[in-house]
Each structure stands twice: as C-alpha cells, then as structure tokens.
Amino acid sequence: MGNTYFEIPIALSTPDHSGDPICIAGNFNNWNEHQYQMNEISKGKYFLNLQIPRTTPQPIEYKFLKSRWNNVELDEYGGQTANRIIGDVQEPIKAWVPRWRHNGQICNEEFQPIIEFHNDFVLPKSRKNRRVSVLLPYDYYRTNKEYPVLYLMDGQNLFEEGAPFGSWEINKKMAVLAEKNMHEVIIVCIDHAGKKRIEEYTFPSHKNEKGRGNLFLNWLLNKLMPFINKRYRTLQDVTNTGIGGSSLGGLISLMAGITHPDVFGKLMILSPSLWKIIDQIYQRLIYLPLVSHNQYIYLYSGQKEASNMTGFLRDFYQQLFKIYPANDRIHLSINEIGEHAERFWGKEFPFALKYLFY
C-alpha cells in the first residue's frame, strides 16, 4: 500500500464524545460520510491511521463529522469551520474539535433568547413604522437582574431565517454562549431603512453623502434608549452600553462612539465602511474621544473583502495606538478567508461579544 497510498496518523480530542462514531471525510474519498471511521481510544480521544490515495488532488482537504454531515464539526461558538488542510503528509496530525452539530442544530433551543418585537417606531424623515426587536436572555423573566445593552444595526439580518442577505443567527449564538454563562446581555436590533439605509447611516460630511446620521443617532439617544430603559431592566451606565454593526452599520456605530463617547462604552465595529470617511481617518481629532473615554473597541475585517477594507481598518487601529500607545482595550481581528457577508459577521459576533462584555 505504501506505493499508492499516504498513511497519516490522526489523533483527535473533543469534549463532546456522545452520539455517533467520529468519521473523516475529504476530497480523497469524494467527501463520503462513512468510509473512514476513527477508533475511540478513551473518552474524548480518537485515533486513525488515515490511508489516502497518492493521486488525491492538492491541497488535501478534510473535515470531522459524527457519522453524518448533519453532525459536522463546529467552532467553539457554533460557527461553521473551514475545511482542514493536510500540508505535509509526513507529519502526524493532532486535532481538536470543541463542538459539533447535533441533527443539524448548533445549539440547545431552550437557551435561545426571548424575542420581543416593537413595530410602532417612526424615525425622523420617515413616514413608515420601523421595527425594533429586543433579544432578552432566555432566563430574563426568571430573575430580577439588570442587564447591559447592546444596540445593533441592520436588524433584518441578525436572527431571522431567510434574511435576504443571510443571517448572523445571533439567537443561536447567544444560546451557545448561554451554555458558558455569557448570555446576560440585552440585544436591541434596529431594522435599517431599506432604500434609505445609506442616507440614514452616513453624515453630510461623509464622502458624496447628504446623510442624516445625526438625526438617526438623536432618535436612538432620545427616543429608543429611554424606551428600552423604561421597558426593560437595564444597566444604564456607559460601561454597560454598547453599539455595533457591520459595513455602513459599523460606520454609524463608530460615529456614535466618536460623537457620544459618554454614552457608548463598548463598540462592535465589523467591516466598517471607512472609505466614506477616508479624509478623516488620519486626523487626530477623530480619535481623541475614543481614547480619552477608555472605550472597549472590537474591530474586525475579512481579508477577502474589498481590497482597501483591511488596509483602512489596520490604519485606523494603528492611529488609535499612536494617540494612546498604552491602550489595552482595543482588539483587531482579521479573518484571512472572510468576505463582506452576513455569515462571516455572524461567525465573529460571539468572539466580539465575549471581548466586549466578558
């Protein structure tokens, strides 16, 4: 067999060893579910001398699954993982799988947040009602606790099945976080303005925009936040109030942190449209409110987004440190395979939430 096959020792560890046997599928066997079954050495420990044809296309790719694709491996927060790559067929492999799908599900549905809808908000310059969705911890009505609040943009794309551009699935991600007792945050999802989204998430000073971002933020501060604070048990100080979003939603969230640093102490800024403020991101004045108020800031970009996305964000990150080199409250995450898409922002969401609130 040595002449026609590679033999690669693979050892796997996983904390979840219940259910079906663990198998390996890859491009060396047309991703067949059952051909390569691992041997259980002890609880959570598996091993297989994987024999694959030398004619397998390069790169050699594979994944672990519990007998079926419906039970494929996941990352620690229930996110989809990229295919694993075998770089050197001479090297033994030691692998770790923190989590698996179970019958297609990434979480225990009992831990999903309670969702309450408010459909009667009317924003400035708009004649249409706007929906605001509030995701409460699954055990909210069993406690008397007060909770921090995170306001998120583009509510249509955050938790619903069949969202037109995909979903972050934050309801499922919060259920996974609940297993780790990191779910005690109220998340307020604000639907965007549809065709007027760009106008609502930008300012007149932004490149080629007549924006009404000021009006939107004034509504958020003077109408929505008082409503949320009155209706729900919230922690209302700056250290327990966050705002975030992606793309233009990331830009308006960043502007909220710059213009109201005494209100928003935590910023979740994913793939922000910084090219809209390219003439400002190298000006010292834009950074002073952020560093002087010691905000926690989580920055993210995907390497496969528009060619200038990661570059602008790295520059922004570096400018923050030039102003205040000792700042340890800013995190930059770059995903080498990340695209400008909801599924990548949803995958990043639990890491950002953990950093900001836990």
Side-chain angles (χ1 to χ4, degrees):
M1 263 189 198
N3 294 327
T4 57
Y5 285 81
F6 295 119
E7 186 169 294
I8 307 167
I10 298 183
L12 170 69
S13 301
T14 179
D16 181 355
H17 48 82
S18 61
D20 295 329
I22 292 178
C23 300
I24 301 173
N27 60 347
F28 42 79
N29 72 334
N30 293 318
W31 301 96
N32 183 284
E33 294 174 321
H34 307 294
Q35 184 176 351
Y36 294 101
Q37 180 176 324
M38 302 192 76
N39 302 303
E40 186 172 9
I41 306 304
S42 60
K43 285 188 176 181
K45 306 288 185 182
Y46 299 82
F47 181 81
L48 180 68
N49 272 319
L50 180 66
Q51 294 179 337
I52 60 175
R54 288 180 176 269
T55 56
T56 299
Q58 300 290 327
I60 301 172
E61 301 182 40
Y62 69 102
K63 273 188 174 178
F64 297 104
L65 54 148
K66 287 191 174 181
S67 187
R68 295 170 294 158
W69 282 108
N70 221 20
N71 300 328
V72 70
E73 62 175 300
L74 299 169
D75 70 22
E76 62 179 306
Y77 296 118
Q80 180 178 334
T81 61
N83 292 343
R84 295 174 183 263
I85 305 293
I86 298 177
D88 184 351
V89 295
Q90 304 297 321
E91 288 290 325
I93 293 172
K94 290 184 178 180
W96 163 256
V97 174
R99 193 175 187 86
W100 308 84
R101 283 191 182 272
H102 288 281
N103 296 319
Q105 301 299 314
I106 71 169
C107 65
N108 183 339
E109 292 191 359
E110 293 181 3
F111 291 159
Q112 288 201 34
I114 301 162
I115 304 177
E116 297 186 352
F117 298 99
H118 304 280
N119 298 297
D120 52 357
F121 285 101
V122 179
L123 276 73
K125 302 292 184 181
S126 174
R127 293 190 294 270
K128 295 181 179 179
N129 286 5
R130 186 75 60 83
R131 185 186 68 167
V132 173
S133 311
V134 180
L135 278 62
L136 302 169
Y138 76 94
D139 51 356
Y140 178 85
Y141 288 112
R142 304 178 207 166
T143 78
N144 293 314
K145 292 181 180 179
E146 295 179 334
Y147 298 90
V149 184
L150 173 64
Y151 294 86
L152 289 181
M153 306 303 111
D154 294 316
Q156 295 97 323
N157 303 328
L158 297 179
F159 60 89
E160 292 176 301
E161 301 287 346
F165 298 102
S167 172
W168 290 26
E169 295 188 324
I170 65 171
N171 53 325
K172 297 178 182 179
K173 304 299 171 54
M174 291 303 294
V176 175
L177 287 166
E179 297 175 14
K180 306 172 184 289
N181 291 316
M182 292 190 294
H183 67 295
E184 294 187 332
V185 180
I186 294 174
I187 302 177
V188 180
C189 307
I190 308 165
D191 281 11
H192 63 68
K195 293 180 180 179
K196 297 287 187 179
R197 176 177 178 267
I198 296 177
E199 186 177 326
E200 190 166 87
Y201 285 171
T202 55
F203 287 69
S205 59
H206 294 170
K207 188 176 181 181
N208 300 323
E209 299 299 343
K210 58 181 179 180
R212 48 189 172 92
N214 279 322
L215 292 176
F216 174 78
L217 290 182
N218 286 339
W219 168 83
L220 175 63
L221 291 164
N222 299 316
K223 297 293 184 181
L224 180 58
M225 290 181 67
F227 170 82
I228 295 296
N229 290 333
K230 182 178 179 181
R231 182 69 173 262
Y232 300 102
R233 301 190 307 273
T234 61
L235 295 167
Q236 300 174 27
D237 59 291
V238 61
T239 60
N240 285 292
T241 305
I243 190 168
S246 61
S247 194
L248 284 169
L251 178 63
I252 190 67
S253 299
L254 177 60
M255 297 309 297
I258 292 170
T259 56
H260 302 282
D262 55 331
V263 176
F264 301 106
K266 301 181 188 300
L267 309 181
M268 185 184 294
I269 312 300
L270 311 184
S271 306
S273 302
L274 292 177
W275 52 86
K276 293 287 186 183
I277 58 169
I278 186 60
D279 56 337
Q280 300 174 47
I281 66 171
Y282 301 105
Q283 297 178 11
R284 181 181 177 87
L285 287 177
I286 199 173
Y287 300 96
L288 291 177
L290 300 176
V291 299
S292 62
H293 286 76
N294 292 321
Q295 291 157 307
Y296 280 90
I297 305 173
Y298 191 96
L299 302 171
Y300 164 86
S301 173
Q303 195 71 52
K304 292 188 176 181
E305 299 188 49
S307 59
N308 53 358
M309 171 67 76
T310 300
F312 284 159
L313 197 63
R314 285 190 189 278
D315 287 352
F316 184 87
Y317 177 73
Q318 291 166 3
Q319 290 294 322
L320 280 169
F321 275 97
K322 282 184 181 178
I323 302 296
Y324 185 17
N327 197 326
D328 61 353
R329 300 187 178 195
I330 306 166
H331 179 81
L332 174 64
S333 173
I334 303 295
N335 181 355
E336 292 183 0
I337 64 170
E339 301 172 12
H340 200 76
E342 311 296 336
R343 69 182 186 277
F344 290 100
W345 299 322
K347 181 178 173 64
E348 195 69 21
F349 168 78
F351 296 93
L353 191 88
K354 179 182 178 182
Y355 178 82
L356 294 173
F357 290 94
Y358 290 95

